[in-house]
Amino acid sequence: AYEVHNCNTALQYVAMELGVAVLPHVPAMDDDRIAVLPIFNNGKELSRIIYVSFLKNQARLPETQRVIDYIVDNHSISI
């Protein structure tokens, strides 16, 4: 068994026939040597939660605020 800290490294091990990997989708999976299978639980594809973190009471650049607003408006459960 190997433990790696980088998805691309895990995929390189898979491509070298050293095992299998459970990973989020990354562009490096688009390799003819690698089979990619989604994992389902009770008919639902598994997903993972990611977070965006920022200081609450600090001024932000307008660009930064637009990214935060976009995530909150389109992809956030709650803030």
Side-chain angles (χ1 to χ4, degrees):
Y2 297 96
E3 180 178 334
V4 298
H5 299 281
N6 183 298
C7 292
N8 290 342
T9 302
L11 290 169
Q12 289 173 353
Y13 285 174
V14 170
M16 293 186 307
E17 301 179 14
L18 295 175
V20 300
V22 176
L23 303 168
H25 189 271
V26 293
M29 288 179 172
D30 300 330
D31 183 319
D32 292 334
R33 299 172 295 169
I34 297 173
V36 179
L37 303 173
I39 300 172
F40 290 85
N41 183 23
N42 294 325
K44 290 180 63 178
E45 188 171 357
L46 294 178
S47 64
R48 69 183 201 184
I49 297 172
I50 58 171
Y51 299 87
V52 62
S53 302
F54 52 91
L55 294 175
K56 290 181 179 180
N57 300 318
Q58 185 164 337
R60 290 179 279 283
L61 293 172
E63 297 82 0
T64 303
Q65 188 61 51
R66 281 198 299 272
V67 170
I68 292 169
D69 291 344
Y70 177 81
I71 292 169
V72 168
D73 293 344
N74 296 286
H75 302 287
S76 179
I77 295 170
S78 65
I79 187 168

